[in-house]
Amino acid sequence: MVIELERVAMSYGGSELFADISLKVQAGSFHFLTGPSGSGKTTFLRLCYGALLPTAGQVRLFGQDVRDLGRDGVAHVRRRVGVVHQDVQFLDHLSLADNVALPLTVSGRDTPDQMDNLDELLNWVGLRPRAAAFPAQLSGGERQRAALARAVIMSPEVVLADEPTGNIDWDMSQRLLTLLVELNRMGTTILVATHDMNLIRAAKSQVQARVLRISGRRLQLAGADL
Amino acid sequence: MTRLRNFLAALAALVIGDPQADRLVPPTGFTARLTTFAAGAMAFLAVFALALSLAAGRLADRWSRDLAQASTIRISAPPEERAAQTAAVLRILEATPGVVAARALPPDEAARLLEPWFGPDLPLDTLPVPQLVEVQEAAVGFDPQGLRLRLSAEVPGAILDDHTRWRRPLVAAAERLRGLGLMSIGLIGATTAAMITLAAQAALSANAQVIAVLRLVGAQDRYIAQAFVRRFTLRALTGAAVGVALAMVAVLLLPAAQEEAGFLTGLGFQGWHWLVPLAIPPLGALVAYLATTAAARRTLTELP
């Protein structure tokens, strides 16, 4: 299992967001996480890459309890987990190419070979001609694709995407989904939090995805009609 | 041992640097200039505090040496009793704790002492010039009151003139001044550390988003801290080097010191002391390194 949650609860300021959630995410699987706004999808994802600790229960990433990881351990986990947020953050003073290469830079793997891969990766997400552009010059769709490229440049075992299509049009959403499906076919575990049911329906025609829903502070397996 | 190895590794990383890591933190022009200016100004002040301290030290040493040299006993007696009284004084001095040596000044030496007032070829035997006995004190000194009492009892014509005693408070003052100079250097160092800590904390807080992005892509806190620490350390080193250079030129342009000159004209460096200010830039950089490391560790722990 790459991610395991066991009887996990999460509270903010005494208010319980969800409780008693258990989940095992197998390597190579594709999951959608859905639920109404404020149900805790983002919090759930943050638990899955060690950005938050649960108030109760246990979260294991690659077999290790996140409570035992420490800050350095979490940093190492994040090299194995690519993350894409709805509100993508970049370093504004660096070019798109430098931003996408950030995970390589901070892990000291920015070798010439790896930088060749960067070109291929930018080509894969269709941003090669925009490599020298700065984040402020990118459109919403370009930012999302750049974020995906940054998330996968270390060839992570897991990609977590939080409303990746929230700020982009349907065509761009489809394009992003195709990239995620391609990654999954290459063996990457994918977990996408979204409230976009059309995206989920579109995905189910391309990949065998499990759909989870946070509802009433519990995690449920959503119906097959989705 | 491991700590030392870690420290040396950190120092090597600091000196060699990582151009890629340095680029990750956005440039902060105004803060950078302020930090460099503050480090330079503090280094400038530190050089003057050092010059003051070293000059005060030299003064204290010189006055201390003078103190340790001589007191004088003046024997005013009729010529026929002079030899006996001189011998009695020397005997008393031999038995006085704190007296290292004593000798009666021969007539030619006494004549030389009076030469500035009476001119050369002074016929001492025609003048009622008292016999002088020079007393060499040990560092601890002797009990002048006790010696006076003994002299008045046994050699009534002998008078102790411990003319160097007035210098004792001056030596104490000079030593206090040296201490104050050193304390000022300490305060300057502490102020530099405080200013750089504030600047580093402000820079770290202002770059919270950068830190969040770096963490998201797997950067360890020490990697993030390194980028800030290196930047502030180099700024402090540059500022301090410029400040020291300017201060040393300023000290060089002070009026030249003379052997018997007053304190103000002796305020400068002498001999190898000119090398001492060169330690200020690396020390300033070390202070900046420690202050920024502590600030980075604290801020990164506080940031989510």
Side-chain angles (χ1 to χ4, degrees), chain A residues 28-31 179-190 207-208:
Chain A
S29 61
F30 199 123
H31 286 76
L179 294 173
L180 289 170
V181 170
E182 275 180 39
L183 275 175
N184 181 245
R185 282 179 186 152
M186 289 187 278
T188 308
T189 308
I190 309 284
V207 69
Q208 192 177 1

Side-chain angles (χ1 to χ4, degrees), chain B residues 12-303:
Chain B
L14 188 74
V15 173
I16 298 162
D18 177 355
Q20 288 292 84
D22 290 348
R23 279 192 326 127
L24 300 185
V25 180
T28 46
F30 187 60
T31 317
R33 279 195 292 276
L34 274 184
T35 309
T36 310
F37 172 77
M42 287 293 144
F44 191 92
L45 293 175
V47 170
F48 275 97
L50 190 64
L52 172 78
S53 183
L54 290 172
R58 283 196 302 273
L59 203 62
D61 289 345
R62 197 167 72 228
W63 283 343
S64 293
R65 270 200 311 276
D66 289 349
L67 255 183
Q69 276 174 359
S71 297
T72 311
I73 293 174
R74 195 173 71 246
I75 303 167
S76 304
E80 62 275 13
E81 290 176 27
R82 186 176 294 179
Q85 289 206 9
T86 304
V89 165
L90 290 172
R91 263 199 317 278
I92 289 169
L93 289 172
E94 262 176 41
T96 303
V99 172
V100 173
R103 68 181 184 101
L105 255 63
D108 57 331
E109 223 171 296
R112 272 204 302 278
L113 286 175
L114 294 171
E115 201 178 278
W117 287 272
F118 296 102
D121 306 325
L122 181 69
L124 273 186
D125 46 347
T126 63
L127 291 170
V129 175
Q131 171 66 50
L132 297 177
V133 174
E134 187 185 271
V135 183
Q136 295 281 338
E137 289 180 39
V140 290
F142 56 79
D143 170 19
Q145 211 51 41
L147 183 58
R148 279 197 184 94
L149 284 171
R150 213 170 151 199
L151 287 173
S152 64
E154 297 182 29
V155 193
I159 293 167
L160 173 65
D161 180 8
D162 54 347
H163 53 85
T164 58
R165 300 283 173 194
W166 63 272
R167 287 187 171 174
R168 276 197 197 281
L170 288 180
V171 170
E175 276 171 353
R176 197 71 58 83
L177 207 55
R178 169 164 51 184
L180 284 173
L182 293 175
M183 195 191 293
S184 303
I185 294 170
L187 283 173
I188 288 167
T191 308
T192 307
M195 285 192 306
I196 289 175
T197 299
L198 287 174
Q201 267 178 343
L204 283 156
S205 300
N207 285 296
Q209 190 193 323
V210 171
I211 291 167
V213 171
L214 293 175
R215 279 179 167 167
L216 186 70
V217 297
Q220 290 180 318
D221 279 359
R222 64 170 166 273
Y223 180 90
I224 299 168
Q226 181 70 25
F228 286 92
V229 168
R230 185 172 147 76
R231 180 170 292 190
F232 278 90
T233 303
L234 292 180
R235 282 174 193 169
L237 181 66
T238 308
V242 172
V244 165
L246 292 175
M248 285 177 78
V249 169
V251 170
L252 197 64
L253 295 176
L254 283 174
Q258 294 159 5
E259 189 63 28
E260 299 303 326
F263 175 67
L264 281 175
T265 52
L267 185 64
F269 299 109
Q270 286 177 9
W272 65 269
H273 282 175
W274 278 103
L275 297 176
V276 180
L278 300 182
I280 291 175
L283 280 175
L286 181 67
V287 166
Y289 172 79
L290 295 175
T292 318
T293 302
R297 192 172 297 157
R298 198 165 43 246
T299 310
L300 288 172
T301 306
E302 285 165 5
L303 285 174

